[in-house]
Amino acid sequence: MSYSNVREALRAVDPDLKIIPGGVRHSKKKLTMNDWEAAGGLFCSRCGQETVRNFDGVCLTCYREDVARREQKQADRAEKQYYRKKLSEGTISLAQMREGRL
Ligand SMILES: [Zn+2]
C-alpha cells in the first residue's frame, strides 16, 4: 500500500489523529523581476552601485580598491623607509636611489 503523502499515511494508522498543518508555506504569488527590483538591495556609498553585500559601507569592488590602495601605500612607505635608512647609513647615494626608483 502506498500513500501519496504523510497525512494519508498517518490517517491509515490512526484515523482520529489530528493533523495541524504547518511548516513551509508557499506563496501563491510568483516573484517577478519587478518584485526583485522593488525589493532593492544595498547601495555602495561611493559608486552608488547596488550590491548584495556591504563592506564598510561600500560595495565589494570599492572595498577591494581600498585594500589595494592601502597595500600600495604601505609598500610605498616601506620603500621610502628603506631608502631613507640606506641614505642615512650612507650605503646608497641619491643618484643610486633615483636609478633604483626610476
Ligand atoms: Zn562601490
Side-chain angles (χ1 to χ4, degrees), residues 1-101:
M1 201 182 213
S2 76
Y3 306 101
S4 64
N5 60 33
V6 176
R7 182 188 289 259
E8 222 174 88
L10 289 170
R11 278 266 156 75
V13 180
D14 182 0
D16 296 325
L17 187 74
K18 220 178 158 141
I19 297 162
I20 299 158
V24 185
R25 269 164 225 264
H26 297 282
S27 172
K28 285 186 184 80
K29 193 170 170 270
K30 274 259 193 244
L31 194 70
T32 65
M33 219 36 222
N34 281 338
D35 293 328
W36 181 257
E37 292 292 332
L42 296 160
F43 291 90
C44 172
S45 63
R46 187 167 313 149
C47 68
Q49 281 257 52
E50 196 171 5
T51 176
V52 282
R53 290 181 78 183
N54 204 309
F55 301 85
D56 295 336
V58 297
C59 73
L60 188 60
T61 311
C62 289
Y63 182 75
R64 282 202 178 127
E65 275 173 18
D66 276 356
V67 171
R69 208 173 295 132
R70 222 174 294 145
E71 278 170 1
Q72 186 58 51
K73 248 185 207 167
Q74 259 167 16
D76 285 350
R77 208 176 299 138
E79 202 178 351
K80 265 180 208 157
Q81 263 169 9
Y82 170 82
Y83 282 115
R84 204 173 293 140
K85 190 167 173 270
K86 292 280 176 196
L87 277 171
S88 68
E89 283 170 352
T91 52
I92 192 173
S93 72
L94 222 83
Q96 280 176 313
M97 187 186 116
R98 287 213 183 89
E99 235 170 72
R101 269 296 267 172

